[in-house]
Amino acid sequence: PYTTVTKEQAHTLYAFWSEKTFTVHLEYQDGAEDHDTTQIIVVNGGTYGGLPTDPERTGYTFAGWYTASIGGTLVETTTKVELTADQNLYAHWTANSYQVSFSCAGETIEAQNVTFGEKYGMLPTPANAENFAGWYTSEADDAVMVTADTVVSTAEDHTLYARWNQSNEIRVTLDAQGGTVDPTFLIIK
């Protein structure tokens, strides 16, 4: 629309600009749905000052916000906003490392480091391996067996406990191959 000027004397016109804002959607990539901040509004020429700087994920350390789910460019709270459209930012995470100790009837076995979310890998065999049944999450009867293929899900330093079969007993662990089974083992005498 046009405005007709009706004044016959000199006057000044002023231009008013509104800042262009964009929505930045935050993808936490952690499987959780209950984050306090899922988007922020930014202004071109400003910064990403409203980004959450300390999200949490069990077993992981926050590594920053990036422009791609894998790789991408790091965006920090001080990064200058230069957008032409709304944007997605992706949280990147670094899996934590934890120390696993081994309790083995008085035998000293060197602790080893494991990475959360990855397999335990090679586990030690006790010097007295006769009737050795494996490593378990506790000394309780219902403890879970841990093998080289078990994925680390304990987000702290922890201990695995050696267990032996009685000479007249064999413990058979049942593998449901992706399903569920209860109990997870049988003892055959």
Side-chain angles (χ1 to χ4, degrees), residues 31-47:
E33 298 289 330
D34 61 346
H35 298 288
D36 292 336
T37 305
T38 58
Q39 65 184 30
I40 61 171
I41 305 298
V42 295
V43 177
N44 257 353
T47 65

Side-chain angles (χ1 to χ4, degrees), residues 44-63:
N44 257 353
T47 65
Y48 289 84
L51 280 176
T53 57
D54 59 353
E56 294 181 0
R57 180 179 179 191
T58 300
Y60 294 86
T61 299
F62 179 63

